[in-house]
Amino acid sequence: GSTLAIGLRLLGGDCIEGIGIYDRNVNRLKRWEYELNQIRKPFDEKGLPPVYPVDTKQLFQCDMFIFCASKGIPPVGSPVEDVRMAQFNSNSEIIKDYAILARETNFKGIFAVVSDPVDLLCKVAFLESNKNKDGNYDFEGLAANQIIGYGLGVMNGRACFYAEKSKETEHYLDEGRAFGPHGEGLIIANSIENYSEELSNYLTDKTLNANIEVRRLGYKPYVAPSLSSGALSIISTIKETWFYGSTYMGEAYIGSKCRLKESQIEIEQLNLPTPLFDKINYT
């Protein structure tokens, strides 16, 4: 969340009026209020959006609520194979509280999910916000298209990183697409026009394991996700330009190229090769 906030502060001057931040740890909240507001561009000192702390009563007095809370991230060196899914139980309990709060405040903005596993937490937020106090669904909470997951942007970024390393795959940057969840089930298509199962499988495998490569170096890989999936994609949402986001399709949240257009979500329409479509359908 802190890295994402740095990105929004630096890049959002022309589209963000202000950035409210919240943390249950008061000292951490104060720290980031101080740090972020001391980022200034010389001789354009008012050019970046102000950052201010908010309390729970103010959380949904905004156009976009961004959920970045995480609990129980497996430490570097742990034997956990799917780090994203390992966070599901604890993070779903946290997001449930905020989904209910969004319902209670009749929130009409975008409920953005950045925490892992992005796609499944979107579904949790949708379901939990649409239950009444008896636990029955009344669908008076968040609309399905108010919730957007931000995890596929960095998968595209990682695919680009590996695609650039070979003449055989560098065309991905101009012709390729990413589909599916932020994790197992991800599909990197080398090209929409000249689809190759072999090259696509190679890029998908490299992308899926990119976070493990960083962990092998002794670090948690959060910088690229915070900026590629987070800040840059969120700013694209605000500006109504294309980005990679997870949206509600066929009773599941799944990632694709999309944009917010006049409060509605538009999904890119493509004539997909049959093998690629079958893969996406399976996911």
Side-chain angles (χ1 to χ4, degrees):
S2 53
T3 306
L4 192 155
I6 292 168
L8 293 179
R9 167 87 169 158
L10 287 172
L11 302 170
D14 62 344
C15 62
I16 297 173
E17 185 179 355
I19 302 169
I21 56 173
Y22 172 76
D23 197 292
R24 290 172 177 174
N25 182 320
V26 175
N27 288 338
R28 192 182 295 139
L29 185 61
K30 279 289 182 186
R31 180 236 172 151
W32 284 107
E33 179 192 3
Y34 294 160
E35 293 269 42
L36 292 167
N37 284 310
Q38 290 169 27
I39 300 171
R40 303 279 170 159
K41 184 178 178 182
F43 311 108
D44 185 21
E45 282 81 1
K46 297 179 182 178
L48 305 180
V51 178
Y52 48 89
V54 298
D55 58 30
T56 51
K57 293 179 181 177
Q58 300 168 298
L59 268 179
F60 288 98
Q61 294 174 13
C62 59
D63 297 299
M64 180 180 279
F65 168 83
I66 306 170
F67 181 82
C68 300
S70 289
K71 182 182 178 184
I73 300 173
V76 171
S78 68
V80 176
E81 288 189 12
D82 196 331
V83 176
R84 303 174 189 98
M85 283 304 298
Q87 301 172 66
F88 178 63
N89 289 333
S90 53
N91 285 353
S92 61
E93 286 301 313
I94 302 172
I95 203 169
K96 175 181 174 180
D97 293 340
Y98 295 101
I100 292 169
L101 188 58
R103 171 194 172 99
E104 291 172 348
T105 54
N106 197 30
F107 181 57
K108 297 301 181 188
I110 296 297
F111 191 107
V113 180
V114 179
S115 300
D116 277 331
V118 168
D119 315 84
L120 298 182
L121 291 182
C122 285
K123 186 72 176 282
V124 171
F126 173 62
L127 293 176
E128 294 298 336
S129 79
N130 281 290
K131 291 178 183 176
N132 60 26
K133 290 182 179 179
D134 296 323
N136 298 316
Y137 292 110
D138 59 9
F139 295 100
E140 293 183 7
L142 294 166
N145 65 346
Q146 278 182 263
I147 304 167
I148 302 174
Y150 292 84
L152 195 59
V154 74
M155 296 314 219
N156 173 63
R158 289 167 175 167
C160 290
F161 172 76
Y162 287 107
E164 283 178 325
K165 293 182 177 297
S166 168
K167 291 282 186 186
E168 275 192 294
T169 53
E170 63 183 3
H171 59 268
Y172 171 81
L173 280 73
D174 299 310
E175 303 172 21
R177 290 291 187 278
F179 301 97
H182 176 64
E184 195 64 37
L186 170 77
I187 298 157
I188 299 296
N190 72 300
S191 172
I192 296 301
E193 299 296 326
N194 300 290
Y195 178 70
S196 162
E197 191 88 358
E198 182 183 355
L199 293 178
S200 296
N201 288 343
Y202 167 77
L203 289 173
T204 299
D205 182 67
K206 297 296 284 186
T207 301
L208 272 174
N209 292 297
N211 64 328
I212 295 171
E213 291 297 316
V214 177
R215 281 179 161 263
R216 282 182 183 144
L217 300 174
Y219 300 96
K220 291 181 180 178
Y222 62 84
V223 176
S226 300
L227 298 173
S228 287
S229 291
L232 289 165
S233 296
I234 284 165
I235 287 172
S236 292
T237 309
I238 294 167
K239 292 185 173 183
E240 297 192 341
T241 56
W242 294 103
F243 66 97
Y244 278 111
S246 187
T247 57
Y248 193 69
M249 293 188 234
E251 299 186 9
Y253 279 85
I254 191 165
S256 65
K257 180 180 174 181
C258 60
R259 63 179 169 180
L260 194 66
K261 197 76 174 168
E262 298 174 359
S263 299
Q264 300 297 319
I265 293 171
E266 179 183 359
I267 309 296
E268 181 186 36
Q269 301 295 300
L270 293 167
N271 290 318
L272 297 172
T274 300
L276 176 56
F277 179 81
D278 289 344
K279 267 188 176 180
I280 297 169
N281 200 35
Y282 178 77
T283 287

